[in-house]
Amino acid sequence: MMSQIKAVRGTRDLLPPETELWNRVEATARRVFERYAFGEIRTPIFEDTQLFARGVGEETDIVSKEMYTWEDRPRAQSEKAQMLTLRPENTAGVVRAYIEHKLGDSGLLQKLYYIGPQFRRERPQKGRYRQFFQIGAEVIGPVSAGSESPLRDAEVLEMLATFLDELGVTGWTLELNSVGSAQDRPRYVEALRAALTDVAPTLCVDCQRRAVTNPLRVLDCKVLDDQDKINALPKIAEFLDEESRAHFAAVLAALDACGVRYTVNPRLVRGLDYYTRTTFEFTHGGLGAQNALLGGGRYDGLSEAIGGPKAPGIGFAIGADRLVLTLQAAASGEMAGALADVYVAPLGEARQAEALVLARELRRAGLRVELGEGSFRLKKSFEMGNKVARAIVLFGEDEAKSGVMTVKDFATGEQTKVARGDLAEFLRK
RNA sequence: GCGGCUAUAGUUCAGUGGCAGAACGCCGGUCUGUGGCACCGGAUGUCGUGGGUUCGACCCCCACUAGCCGCCCCA
């Protein structure tokens, strides 16, 4: 026997009834985002590898070791093969589209959201897959359109709080920080590096390594005994220039004004090179090591980094897989599959074609109808109907002749005779 | 990429170096125009894959694959 073909490592099938939850999450996102005047953008699932190398950052783990990259087939022998990559995130693609279609020339702020799969070749874990789904949005535009304003940051954060609330997610925490301008960050990293030369040898082995390879990561360390020493390290807030400082203060003031709860976390640093100023994360307990539900930040220099005009922006990406996980945990237990409104049971194979007509009438009237099978014995029709629908309509010889249907409600056990013309109305209640 | 745990029926899981098990679910019957409840009966399966040790391996050993937990990193 041939070996069975299975979904590849880190990918999975989403099946009903779980897909119902996915649809609810996506529908809520669309509804909320559109209320904030966002429009949907769909960018290709693969792009020129250079887009991510230049946009996300050559030195990031994502680009250096987690991308699905391959060489395209050259069209002609003379042509050089192009390197292509499955998108590991969607912001770079959106900014590329912004540049390519000269969206900034409208003079307007572009507010774009996306929903789709992303790909990273990481070791799979619960809540972390190699094909994962993100719901994200970007606010980007020329400075003259107000794209640099702290109001944009606050508006996006307030929108996310509303989104989570409307979805019924409870117990989330918003943490935010400012990582400063493109000039501030390198100065901070140097100061951190300097401070670590003394402190690092007393820290855990992981941090001793991080101190050299990626000093910012020391701030993420979770070893309890080292927390005091890490808190005593220089804070990035001390290295912000006047403008960045005022910008961050304005973001916080706007959040206070509309009552969005947050925690300033001076140790929140994010992994992508393009972030400037505001960075944030919404976390949720019960997700284990993958506790970030969504993350984002401002990226004032990204457009220029990939060859575009100056176009400051701010955006976020929601980890839909993790969001669905937390919703499932909260809904603990009852995940009732979608029940049809009615099960139409033809009694005898001679009734089958007419039963399809009856089902069609009810479906056109907007009811969810499951159509049974005439060869089933009556008892079996009832058993089947009881599993998939709220009520059953018997369609046998008597009903076909008289035009009066027999309906039984599975919940109450009540059985009623209903004229065919009144059936849809009767079942709707 | 690194470390640890795990893999037996559709599902959740027991199990022993000597015939493969339970519960739930599924199928059939008691009941040929009435489901749920009850009772009776039935099928569950290459014991993840491949090799090795052994008279004999689901069990012991090795490799591989996948999942989970942690690390790295991140949504």
Side-chain angles (χ1 to χ4, degrees):
Chain A
M1 189 167 103
M2 281 200 294
S3 63
Q4 202 186 350
I5 298 173
K6 297 187 290 189
V8 307
R9 184 173 171 82
T11 71
R12 62 197 177 131
D13 302 305
L14 300 173
L15 308 170
E18 191 185 353
T19 39
E20 201 185 333
L21 192 51
W22 280 82
N23 282 326
R24 208 181 90 213
V25 167
E26 292 174 5
T28 303
R30 288 175 195 281
R31 190 181 70 234
V32 173
F33 296 174
E34 279 166 20
R35 239 188 273 150
Y36 287 75
F38 280 77
E40 182 178 2
I41 182 171
R42 301 192 190 195
T43 67
I45 220 165
F46 55 90
E47 300 263 7
D48 190 311
T49 302
Q50 280 307 304
L51 173 64
F52 305 115
R54 299 217 291 255
V56 178
E58 202 85 57
E59 302 306 315
T60 60
D61 275 34
I62 293 178
V63 172
S64 62
K65 55 186 211 202
E66 293 173 3
M67 294 203 304
Y68 281 97
T69 296
W70 71 98
E71 189 176 276
D72 197 17
R73 197 185 319 164
R75 279 187 307 179
Q77 292 214 320
S78 57
E79 196 185 50
K80 200 178 76 183
Q82 188 180 20
M83 295 307 292
L84 302 177
T85 293
L86 288 178
R87 62 185 187 195
E89 56 98 57
N90 216 153
T91 299
V94 170
V95 175
R96 193 223 79 236
Y98 171 90
I99 296 166
E100 187 167 336
H101 302 288
K102 302 189 193 325
L103 298 180
D105 288 3
S106 67
L108 299 173
L109 217 47
Q110 300 298 308
K111 303 172 79 172
L112 304 164
Y113 77 85
Y114 59 84
I115 295 175
Q118 320 291 336
F119 305 84
R120 285 181 209 170
R121 201 178 182 291
E122 295 179 284
R123 182 121 176 185
Q125 239 176 79
K126 197 183 207 57
R128 179 208 292 205
Y129 304 95
R130 290 182 169 185
Q131 173 174 325
F132 58 104
F133 295 84
Q134 288 189 331
I135 301 171
E138 316 291 345
V139 180
I140 182 172
V143 174
S144 63
S147 59
E148 261 182 324
S149 168
L151 186 59
R152 302 279 75 86
D153 306 45
E155 187 182 24
V156 161
L157 290 165
E158 188 271 315
M159 177 172 84
L160 284 166
T162 298
F163 167 70
L164 292 176
D165 287 345
E166 289 201 15
L167 206 51
V169 178
T170 54
W172 51 262
T173 307
L174 163 60
E175 296 184 29
L176 72 170
N177 192 23
S178 176
V179 296
S181 69
Q183 292 76 44
D184 298 338
R185 186 143 53 156
R187 288 195 297 126
Y188 173 62
V189 173
E190 272 324 297
L192 193 58
R193 216 182 270 279
L196 281 170
T197 52
D198 294 336
V199 183
T202 71
L203 299 175
C204 67
V205 288
D206 282 336
C207 285
Q208 294 181 24
R209 177 177 44 76
R210 291 175 185 138
V212 179
T213 60
N214 193 352
L216 288 175
R217 285 289 138 220
V218 174
L219 302 176
D220 279 344
C221 183
K222 294 174 188 87
V223 176
L224 280 178
D225 289 346
D226 293 348
Q227 295 304 302
D228 289 346
K229 282 178 268 186
I230 294 168
N231 281 327
L233 290 169
K235 305 247 186 320
I236 192 157
E238 299 153 14
F239 291 80
L240 301 188
D241 61 31
E242 204 48 52
E243 244 180 304
S244 292
R245 213 181 292 257
H247 192 275
F248 192 48
V251 174
L252 300 186
L255 288 177
D256 289 334
C258 61
V260 173
R261 291 164 298 127
Y262 60 85
T263 309
V264 174
N265 178 358
R267 286 163 55 170
L268 177 68
V269 288
R270 316 206 71 256
L272 279 50
D273 282 359
Y274 55 63
Y275 284 119
T276 55
R277 293 187 175 169
T278 313
T279 59
F280 58 87
E281 217 169 78
F282 282 70
T283 57
H284 195 279
L287 276 175
Q290 278 69 53
N291 68 341
L293 268 184
L294 68 94
R298 181 163 276 286
Y299 44 85
D300 292 341
L302 177 55
S303 173
E304 289 149 292
I306 56 180
K310 182 171 172 65
I314 180 165
F316 61 84
I318 300 165
D321 305 81
R322 293 180 190 177
L323 190 52
V324 167
L325 262 180
T326 65
L327 288 170
Q328 279 171 334
S332 70
E334 46 90 33
M335 241 309 252
L339 279 185
D341 295 310
V342 64
Y343 183 88
V344 172
L347 306 185
E349 293 184 53
R351 296 276 90 73
Q352 301 225 106
E354 297 163 85
L356 179 59
V357 174
L358 176 60
R360 173 182 154 103
E361 286 169 16
L362 298 175
R363 286 164 173 159
R364 290 204 162 196
L367 292 160
R368 293 173 301 172
V369 179
E370 186 62 89
L371 180 59
E373 162 59 43
S375 62
F376 289 171
R377 290 173 37 231
L378 183 66
K379 174 187 166 65
K380 181 160 175 175
S381 286
F382 267 85
E383 287 170 346
M384 288 294 198
N386 189 41
K387 283 174 195 163
V388 301
R390 294 182 217 290
I392 186 169
V393 171
L394 300 186
F395 187 73
E397 202 179 340
D398 296 349
E399 286 82 3
K401 276 183 185 152
S402 67
V404 178
M405 305 296 126
T406 306
V407 184
K408 185 164 185 178
D409 183 311
F410 282 120
T412 64
E414 192 180 336
Q415 190 158 310
T416 319
K417 293 280 186 185
V418 181
R420 183 166 183 159
D422 301 333
L423 194 54
E425 177 81 14
F426 179 83
L427 289 166
R428 225 189 301 277
K429 58 170 180 53

